[in-house]
């Protein structure tokens, strides 16, 4: 099992990577031999039989050779059959999820990934899995087709709207790997990049607990602050007044927000809730309508916590209290 | 003019009676197919109807379209188009009917039509997939009797 | 094959060496064209086959909404029109231009009848809201996605109907040209080609009829 | 010294109108030449803009939406407006009837109509371009294509219309080959170019209608939601992929078979050697054509299609490789004991052998299920299809263009510049696209505007390569246009080749032949006949 990566392949960090790579290299070397044969011979003939100045005459009438023709039909046929059978076997292996696999629900959506863990936790754009344990991904999309691709694991599977698709892997090295969306899904397609974080079993349990955490023993505000990071709001919303993809959250609550359609609205609980669940309903002036919906991802309590957190970022007491 | 020899110069002029005969056979077959549709052969409904339709179609092609008398090339062309269509249908159905070979979860839509965008279940409370398939059945019927 | 200098007929195009070659080319071309037509419809048949296999019950329930009597009548009408156009070709082969015109005219009338019946069927469905896709607003058909059945129905019969209309245009044009004396037993390629086309339209209907009206 | 004949097809009639109403297959070929090359230029400019943007991992000068529209237009223009019509409609139209000793194609008016349809289709595509562009990729996958807000309908309609243009060309060739061969031109005396075009025509006629109906369904789905492809209406998006690839996989052989057809012609004409295994090469064209209809699902290995279907498709895919291999080996064997002249067309032929082998062999990687799962929708795919389409078809097309250029215009282009530009294209091409194999297997996804920093060196090198290649193309455009006015008269048979088109004047007379020629010898009987090159005298 190589984990270093080569000229052709990125490090292979899952159990199937080795199989895929050996087939890849088998085809590669066979191809190189055939290629050298084809190009080498044509180069050699071109040199040897090049037309010397003025020489124009009859050429050799050789026009077939049955033995040769049979050989170059049979040998490639054998080769491709080897490739097929080999590929077939590996494919079967790649397709049958081990019984004891840990099942994670994957949701693809323009343009981020979210993951639901059996313990009840949820994470966005960061898939956390235990090392050396098969993980089954049960995937569906909320809008268009996406595709779940982790080069280091050699797995890829389209994520379809209104239909489940399945893939699995077993990572054997701890680390952080790129997760790409490889089915074109619109503007943010190339930014629909996440991470797969492979951690030790103990660490994983810690994470799972953390993700499933529903704020017991914390104030709503504190919980909101945690979610702000955990659910990736931080990627688009800053709290230091600076602009990012989305409007900053500090001093947001209670103010009059100008909308793209010219009207304006007061930022209160209802508006924030709507912005989270149905972001396209009211677009803030000066911003693109790119915020994803968190419908189904955030639970009520979490939304409340986020609202409390946003509220806490308002310095002007008078706006909060009325 | 390599293919000239294949056909006689004189066009076949078929007797009137043949046209009328074939025409009436077609009408009879139409009656038959309507008639048998009142019986239920279960699985074979489709087969029976298609056999009758195919015989009608062959009559039209062979006699009205002169395939029986013309250059065989035309018949080859015609039949090959049907073959390619068959390839299209058969291989596509190899996929569409067998998506759940390995996993039943893949068998069908999660939800009926446009509901999907807002009601796709995220199993934060660890419902198993089979449960959610049940859910699907329910919503479907509920939806239909709305 | 040298140029036939004597009696070089008016309708012979310069790049053909004789009438026979021109005629056969046209016929081969027509057959190849029919192949493209079959595959064009073929896509819709695939659509039908797959959804029928997915939702057999829905297809059964939905097909009850179609009127078998009208469908049967239309089948008879179309088959008869196939006979008349075939007879039209036979007449021109025998140089009976008058008969040809009558037969073509009969075909045209039958095609018109077909379209009128189709019109009533369509109007009825539109009235009830048994329409394709988003326009579907009819209760009372049980099963998954009944609008898909009507999508298939309207698309397939619709495309077929368009072909009937095109055929009607062609036949009208043939009637005028036959009247003008353009055709004879020596040269009737256009009638023959239209005949082939018309038979194909009939052929497709022969399949559509049981698929939609008889077995659901 | 060679002379250009007094009257020929180019000056037999005069004025724009005579061109727009011409039914002469040669003139229609020329009409296609200019329109198709125009779109090649447009598509190429989009490609250069894409590459420029990809020079850096972050946004450089265009935003994601623009980038997405650009690769969509690049792909759609290159496929539907350039590569599919390129060889059949330009070179096929020009030489096929002459090669079989006919005065024209079977249906000259249909031929002209197909050009007008092409123009109308092109206008729709251009309309989509000016009305904001479409951003679906050339594959128009649902449900993205049914929900995006861009001008999808007009470009889809454009592709639909262009399909008819392609069908009519194919239909014409089938009938022409069957019915218009001159006396003595039996099936096995036909030049292999004709065989290739015939096999192509079969695919055009059988597959293109399915594209037509698919696109119509897509448009209707988008307009009124009929529920076949859009899951929101109970449809199945994977079904769209079946429909699309049922056409588009055979379509890739609509692109390569004509290229292979040209190579068979060039390799004999420029090495004055009888083709090795004539029948094998001829039949393998048909073999490829038929096999191409049963492998489409190899584009859908990760789409969620059933495992069984995936295996069937993988198995069948490999069988396409066998007849392609037969061709390649036969070409190489043809060179044995030949007399090779390093003319520009021959250089293109040798480049073809090099590049197409790489392109085709990488197809084997993709046909192998587990490997494709890793490589699907990465730059490995982009590299694969540019190697077969550009390295295969475009290179063959350019070879053919140079080969028949003197026949078309009666004048020679500058051979030295020709060789330089061929070399530039060859080197630039490999720089651009070989790099993409590596970054692809390293995991770089395609259709990415922004990318992870690790891939930067590959992208940068690839972009430099595209400039080298562009330089080659511009040089070519220069000397070819120059030759139209200033080129030396080429004479009837500059290459000393044996097919019919070289026995008539350059440019050919209006009706090709005074008398329909009798075919007495095979097209490649270089062991029996020596045709003197008319270039030597210059
Ligand atoms: C001209 C166009 C062309 C041609 C000729 C080919 C030829 C082949 N292609 Fe390619 N292909 C495309 C254009 C083409 N392709 C395009 C455009 C796409 C992507 C579309 C998109 O998604 O946008 C694509 C994608 C594509 C895929 C899907 C990848 C994916 O998306 O995941 C696959 C998978 O099987 C594939 C396979 C093949 C194979 C097996 C051949 C074979 O025909 C190749 C046969 C040739 C050889 C093998 C070389 C010569 C043979 C020898 C020297 C003999 C020895 C050989 C052996 C022993 C094997 N191609
Ligand atoms: C025939 C087909 C064809 C051709 C020729 C090309 C040519 C080129 N292509 Fe493209 N390409 C596609 C078909 C083609 N492509 C397709 C189908 C896609 C997929 C789209 C999708 O994802 O939907 C694609 C995608 C694609 C991508 C991937 C984009 C992405 O996934 O994000 C890239 C990136 O490098 C690229 C680059 C290039 C380059 C640099 C060239 C260069 O070779 C171009 C060089 C050409 C010129 C510079 C023009 C010069 C011409 C003249 C000057 C006129 C000449 C006149 C005479 C000779 C008389 N192409
Ligand atoms: Cu999601 Cu691309
Ligand atoms: Cu393919």
């Amino acid at each position: 099992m190589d984990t270093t990566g080569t000229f052709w392949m990125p490090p292979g960090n899952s159990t199937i990577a080795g199989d895929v790579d050996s087939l890849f290299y088998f085809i590669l070397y066979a191809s190189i031999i055939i290629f050298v044969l084809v190009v080498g011979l044509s180069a050699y003939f071109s040199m040897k039989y090049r037309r010397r100045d003025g020489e124009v005459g009859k050429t050799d009438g050789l026009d077939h050779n049955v033995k040769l023709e049979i050989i170059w039909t049979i040998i490639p046929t054998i080769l491709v059959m080897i490739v097929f059978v080999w590929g077939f076997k590996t494919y079967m292996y790649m397709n049958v999820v081990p019984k004891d696999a840990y099942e994670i629900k994957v949701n693809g959506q323009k343009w981020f990934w979210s993951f639901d863990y059996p313990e009840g936790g949820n994470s966005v754009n960061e898939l956390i899995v235990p090392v050396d344990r098969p993980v089954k991904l049960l995937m569906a999309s909320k809008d268009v087709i996406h595709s779940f691709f982790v080069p280091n694991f050699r797995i890829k599977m389209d994520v379809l709207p209104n239909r489940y698709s399945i893939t699995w892997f077993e990572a054997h090295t701890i680390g952080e790997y790129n997760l790409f969306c490889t089915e074109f899904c619109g503007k943010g397609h190339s930014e629909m990049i996440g991470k797969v974080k492979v951690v030790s079993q103990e660490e994983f349990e810690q994470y799972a607990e953390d993700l499933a955490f529903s704020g017991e023993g914390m104030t709503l505000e504190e919980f909101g602050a945690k979610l702000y990071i955990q659910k990736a709001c931080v990627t688009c919303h800053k709290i230091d007044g600076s602009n990012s993809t989305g409007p900053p959250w500090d001093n947001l609550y209670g103010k009059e927000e100008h909308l793209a359609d010219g009207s304006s609205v007061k930022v209160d609980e209802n508006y924030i809730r709507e912005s989270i669940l149905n972001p396209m309903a009211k677009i803030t002036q000066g911003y693109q309508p790119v915020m994803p919906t968190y419908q189904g991802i955030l639970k009520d309590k979490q939304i409340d916590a986020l609202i409390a957190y946003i509220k806490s970022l308002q310095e002007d007491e008078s706006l909060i209290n009325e | 003019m390599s293919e000239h020899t294949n056909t006689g110069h004189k066009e076949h002029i078929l007797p009137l009676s043949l046209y009328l005969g074939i025409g009436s056979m077609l009408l009879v077959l139409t009656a038959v197919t309507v008639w048998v549709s009142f019986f239920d052969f279960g699985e074979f409904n489709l087969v029976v109807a298609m056999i009758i339709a195919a015989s009608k179609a062959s009559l039209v092609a062979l006699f009205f379209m002169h395939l029986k008398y013309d250059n065989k090339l035309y018949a080859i062309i015609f039949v090959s188009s049907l073959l390619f269509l068959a390839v299209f249908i058969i291989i596509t159905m190899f996929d569409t009917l067998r998506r759940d070979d390995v996993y039943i979860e893949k068998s069908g839509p999660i939800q009926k039509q446009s509901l999907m965008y807002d009601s796709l279940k995220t199993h934060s409370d660890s419902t198993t997939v089979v449960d959610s398939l049940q859910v699907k059945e329910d919503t479907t019927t509920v939806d239909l009797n709305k | 094959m040298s140029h036939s200098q004597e009696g070089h007929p008016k309708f012979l195009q310069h790049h053909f060496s004789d009438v026979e070659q021109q005629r056969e080319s046209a016929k081969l071309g027509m057959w190849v064209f029919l192949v493209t037509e079959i595959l064009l419809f073929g896509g819709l048949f695939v659509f039908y086959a797959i959804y029928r296999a997915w939702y057999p019950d829905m297809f059964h329930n939905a097909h009850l909404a179609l009127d078998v009597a009208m469908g049967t009548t239309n089948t008879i009408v179309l088959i008869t029109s196939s006979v008349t156009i075939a007879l039209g070709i036979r007449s021109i082969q025998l140089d009976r231009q008058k008969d040809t015109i009558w037969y073509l005219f009969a075909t045209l009338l039958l095609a018109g009848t077909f379209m009128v019946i189709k019109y009533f069927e369509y109007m009825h469905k539109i009235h009830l809201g048994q329409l394709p896709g988003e326009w579907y607003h009819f209760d009372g058909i049980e099963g998954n996605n009944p609008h898909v059945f009507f999508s298939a129905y309207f698309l397939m019969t619709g495309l077929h109907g368009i072909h009937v209309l095109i055929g009607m245009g062609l036949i009208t044009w043939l009637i005028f040209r036959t009247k003008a004396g353009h055709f004879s037993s020596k040269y009737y390629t256009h009638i023959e080609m239209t005949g082939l086309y018309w038979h194909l339209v009939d052929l497709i209907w022969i399949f559509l009829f049981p698929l939609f009206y008889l077995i659901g | 010294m060679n002379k250009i004949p007094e009257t020929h097809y180019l000056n037999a009639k005069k004025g724009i109108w005579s061109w727009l109403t011409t039914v002469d297959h040669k003139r229609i070929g020329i009409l296609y030449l200019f329109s198709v090359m125009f779109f090649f230029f447009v598509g190429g400019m989009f490609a250069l803009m894409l590459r420029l943007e990809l020079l850096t991992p972050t946004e450089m000068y265009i935003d994601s939406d623009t980038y997405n529209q650009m690769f969509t237009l690049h792909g759609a223009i290159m496929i539907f407006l350039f590569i599919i019509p390129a060889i059949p409609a330009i070179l096929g139209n020009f030489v096929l009837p002459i090669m079989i000793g006919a005065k024209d194609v079977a249906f000259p008016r249909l031929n002209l109509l197909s050009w007008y349809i092409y123009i109308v289709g092109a206008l729709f595509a251009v309309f989509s371009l000016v009305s904001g562009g479409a951003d679906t990729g050339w594959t128009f996958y649902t449900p993205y294509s049914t929900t995006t807000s861009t001008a999808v309908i007009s470009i889809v309609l454009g592709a639909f219309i262009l399909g008819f243009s392609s069908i009519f060309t194919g239909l014409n060739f089938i009938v022409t080959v069957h019915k218009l061969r001159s006396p003595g031109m039996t099936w096995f005396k036909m030049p292999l170019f004709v065989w290739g075009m015939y096999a192509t025509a079969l695919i055009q006629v059988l597959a293109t209608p399915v594209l037509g109906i698919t696109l119509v369904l897509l448009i209707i789905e988008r307009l009124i939601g009929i529920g076949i492809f859009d899951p929101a209406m109970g449809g199945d998006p994977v079904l769209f992929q079946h429909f699309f690839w049922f056409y588009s996989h055979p379509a890739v052989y609509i692109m390569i078979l004509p290229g292979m057809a040209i190579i068979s012609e060039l390799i004999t004409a420029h090495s004055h050697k009888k083709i090795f295994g004539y029948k094998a090469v001829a039949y393998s064209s048909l073999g490829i054509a038929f096999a191409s209809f049963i492998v489409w699902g190899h584009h859908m290995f990760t789409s969620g299609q059933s495992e069984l279907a995936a295996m069937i498709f993988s198995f069948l895919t490999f069988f396409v490789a066998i007849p392609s291999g037969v061709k390649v080996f036969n070409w190489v064997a043809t060179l044995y004991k030949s007399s090779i002249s390093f003319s520009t067309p021959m250089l293109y032929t040798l480049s073809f052998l090099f590049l197409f082998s790489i392109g085709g062999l990488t197809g084997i990687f993709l046909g192998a299920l587990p490997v494709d799962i890793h490589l699907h929708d990465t730059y490995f795919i982009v590299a694969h299809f540019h190697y077969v389409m550009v390295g295969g078809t475009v290179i063959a097309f350019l070879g053919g263009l140079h080969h028949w250029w003197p026949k078309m215009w009666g004048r020679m282009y500058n051979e030295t510049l020709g060789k330089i530009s061929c070399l530039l294209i060859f080197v630039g091409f490999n720089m651009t696209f070989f790099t993409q194999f590596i970054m692809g297997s390293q995991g770089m996804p395609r259709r990415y505007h922004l990318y992870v920093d690790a891939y930067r060196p590959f992208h940068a090198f690839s972009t430099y390569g595209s400039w080298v290649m562009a330089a080659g193309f511009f040089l070519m455009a220069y000397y070819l246009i120059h030759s139209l006015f200033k080129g030396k008269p080429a004479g009837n048979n500059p290459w000393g080749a044996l097919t019919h088109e070289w026995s008539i004047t350059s440019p050919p007379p209006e009706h090709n032949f005074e008398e329909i020629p009798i075919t007495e010898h095979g097209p490649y009987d270089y062991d029996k006949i020596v045709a003197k090159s008319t270039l030597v005298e210059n």
Side-chain angles (χ1 to χ4, degrees), chain D residues 357-396:
Chain D
S357 297
I358 297 184
L361 288 166
T362 52
I364 302 299
F365 288 73
L366 305 177
L369 278 162
V371 181
D372 181 70
I373 287 180
H374 177 62
L375 297 176
H376 174 72
D377 270 350
T378 63
Y379 263 80
F380 196 94
I381 310 293
V382 177
H384 158 69
F385 68 70
H386 282 92
Y387 261 85
V388 273
M389 296 202 296
V390 185
T393 310
V394 175
I395 292 290

Side-chain angles (χ1 to χ4, degrees), chain A residues 23-87:
Chain A
L23 179 54
F24 178 91
Y25 281 107
F26 174 75
I27 306 176
L28 181 67
Y29 294 129
S31 298
I32 290 177
I33 295 172
I34 294 171
F35 176 74
V36 168
L37 197 79
V38 167
V39 172
L41 275 179
S42 19
Y44 173 72
F45 290 155
S46 312
M47 280 305 120
K48 178 132 190 246
Y49 302 112
R50 68 176 181 278
R51 191 176 302 168
R52 293 164 225 267
D53 285 325
E55 176 227 8
V56 192
K58 290 181 184 170
T59 47
D60 197 280
L62 172 78
D63 65 357
H64 70 285
N65 180 330
V66 178
K67 218 186 259 170
L68 209 57
E69 288 177 75
I70 290 178
I71 290 178
W72 70 47
T73 314
I74 301 286
I75 292 188
T77 312
I78 295 174
L79 277 175
V80 293
M81 281 306 100
I82 296 176
V83 172
F84 170 71
V85 173
W86 188 336

Side-chain angles (χ1 to χ4, degrees), chain D residues 51 67 74 78 83 137-138 379 386 436 446-447 469:
Chain D
R51 283 288 6 138
Y67 180 86
H74 165 67
M78 283 297 196
I83 197 167
W138 80 282
Y379 263 80
H386 282 92
Q436 298 187 356
R446 67 191 278 208
R447 296 174 173 168
M469 181 167 34

Side-chain angles (χ1 to χ4, degrees), chain A residues 111 145-146 181-185 189 192:
Chain A
W111 290 282
I145 305 180
H146 304 275
C181 172
T182 49
E183 186 60 65
F184 180 67
C185 54
H189 168 58
M192 195 165 161

